Amino acid sequence: MAETERTSDPADAILQWLAAEPDADLVAELGALRAHLAAISGDPDRVQGGLEMLQQFGARALDACGRLRPRLLDAALPLSRELHVAADALVELLRDIATAIERLEARRETRWLRFGREEAERGGEQAFALISEAHIIVSMSGASAPEGLWRSAHALGGMAREAGHDVDEAAVRRLFLYRRMLAAAVAQPESLTPRESSWMFDYLDSIAMQAQLSHEPVEPSAAGYWIDLAGDAPPVAVCR
């Protein structure tokens, strides 16, 4: 077999899988997604259409979220083993795909400098959308945020660009998702049922942009929270 044929086999298998309908068995679907992600995670930029594949992986993972969230709505906490395994696997996949997209886009920085920041912002928004969805699954599961989730959120959230000018649609979307994630954490979703958590995120969809983000203390301080942008923790009340 020629070398070119051997190297194209993983990509061909991935494309065939992406073209097929998602597996009705959610755990099997997540297992297949994990296996295909592993096949290109070493260096997705060397795989033809690597970024597009990662984006399609993200779309498949979000489809899985759309199938899992209705099952979580009426679930009792703590979750059954079946739901717990599925939720954990999905959260891990969402984070890993987001990380892969972020790393791939970071290696293309010189191209961004030539063609502007629009592509970079779009890649950042795609990665953060996956992180945001992972936080929703964690919240509805009554679980604590896994290690690294908040560090990724602070890095990708875009607060540093809050005071910038000429922010495009992707940057605005990322700022909205970051605000919603921060506001949800302040509401302490671990004390809510899965359905209450779902209602909370629906409500925040309409008011999250009212949250004020500032690098300076805000007033009144009793209503303020502080964030360690280099840390791995949610907002903490100023009074603490």
Side-chain angles (χ1 to χ4, degrees), residues 18 34 42 59 71 105 127 144-145 153 159 163 175 184 229 235 238 240:
L18 287 170
R34 165 62 63 193
R71 295 174 58 186
E105 292 285 19
S144 300
M159 184 175 174
L175 286 168
L229 293 177
V238 171
R240 293 175 57 189

Side-chain angles (χ1 to χ4, degrees), residues 73 139-140 189 191-202:
L73 283 177
S139 299
M140 291 184 67
S191 66
L192 305 177
T193 68
R195 186 173 292 277
E196 288 170 338
S197 289
S198 180
W199 287 339
M200 174 188 66
F201 281 101
D202 288 344

Side-chain angles (χ1 to χ4, degrees), residues 20-68:
E21 286 293 319
D23 197 314
D25 184 331
L26 184 58
V27 174
E29 169 75 2
L30 296 177
L33 180 51
R34 165 62 63 193
H36 289 306
L37 177 62
I40 69 168
S41 60
D43 191 355
D45 209 15
R46 297 187 63 181
V47 179
Q48 185 175 5
L51 177 58
E52 290 74 14
M53 284 184 181
L54 289 175
Q55 292 169 336
Q56 290 187 65
F57 287 166
R60 287 289 281 260
L62 291 175
D63 176 79
C65 291
R67 295 160 58 188
L68 179 63

Side-chain angles (χ1 to χ4, degrees), residues 125-145:
E125 188 274 327
Q126 291 167 340
F128 192 77
L130 301 176
I131 294 296
S132 176
E133 191 67 25
H135 182 245
I136 293 176
I137 297 297
V138 167
S139 299
M140 291 184 67
S141 300
S144 300

Side-chain angles (χ1 to χ4, degrees), residues 7-205:
T7 56
S8 67
D9 284 347
D12 289 344
I14 292 170
L15 290 173
Q16 290 176 7
W17 179 75
L18 287 170
E21 286 293 319
D23 197 314
D25 184 331
L26 184 58
V27 174
E29 169 75 2
L30 296 177
L33 180 51
R34 165 62 63 193
H36 289 306
L37 177 62
I40 69 168
S41 60
D43 191 355
D45 209 15
R46 297 187 63 181
V47 179
Q48 185 175 5
L51 177 58
E52 290 74 14
M53 284 184 181
L54 289 175
Q55 292 169 336
Q56 290 187 65
F57 287 166
R60 287 289 281 260
L62 291 175
D63 176 79
C65 291
R67 295 160 58 188
L68 179 63
R69 285 171 64 174
R71 295 174 58 186
L72 292 174
L73 283 177
D74 294 315
L77 297 177
L79 296 179
S80 66
R81 184 180 184 281
E82 177 189 6
L83 285 177
H84 175 74
V85 168
D88 271 7
L90 184 50
V91 167
E92 184 177 5
L93 272 168
L94 289 163
R95 295 175 60 209
D96 287 349
I97 297 169
T99 298
I101 292 174
E102 181 188 9
R103 288 175 178 170
L104 184 54
E105 292 285 19
R107 290 206 296 270
R108 300 182 174 190
E109 186 171 356
T110 54
R111 191 179 311 172
W112 300 339
L113 293 176
R114 289 201 306 270
F115 297 108
R117 300 297 303 181
E118 183 176 349
E119 182 180 351
E121 290 292 357
R122 187 163 54 249
E125 188 274 327
Q126 291 167 340
F128 192 77
L130 301 176
I131 294 296
S132 176
E133 191 67 25
H135 182 245
I136 293 176
I137 297 297
V138 167
S139 299
M140 291 184 67
S141 300
S144 300
E147 182 179 358
L149 182 69
W150 278 105
R151 183 175 292 109
S152 296
H154 298 321
L156 286 167
M159 184 175 174
R161 299 174 179 82
E162 174 79 0
H165 300 286
D166 301 325
V167 290
D168 62 17
E169 184 177 343
V172 171
R173 173 67 177 170
R174 186 162 24 152
L175 286 168
F176 159 72
L177 291 173
Y178 187 47
R179 280 184 169 100
R180 188 182 69 176
M181 189 170 174
L182 295 172
V186 167
Q188 300 181 327
E190 62 274 10
S191 66
L192 305 177
T193 68
R195 186 173 292 277
E196 288 170 338
S197 289
S198 180
W199 287 339
M200 174 188 66
F201 281 101
D202 288 344
Y203 176 65
L204 290 175
D205 280 345

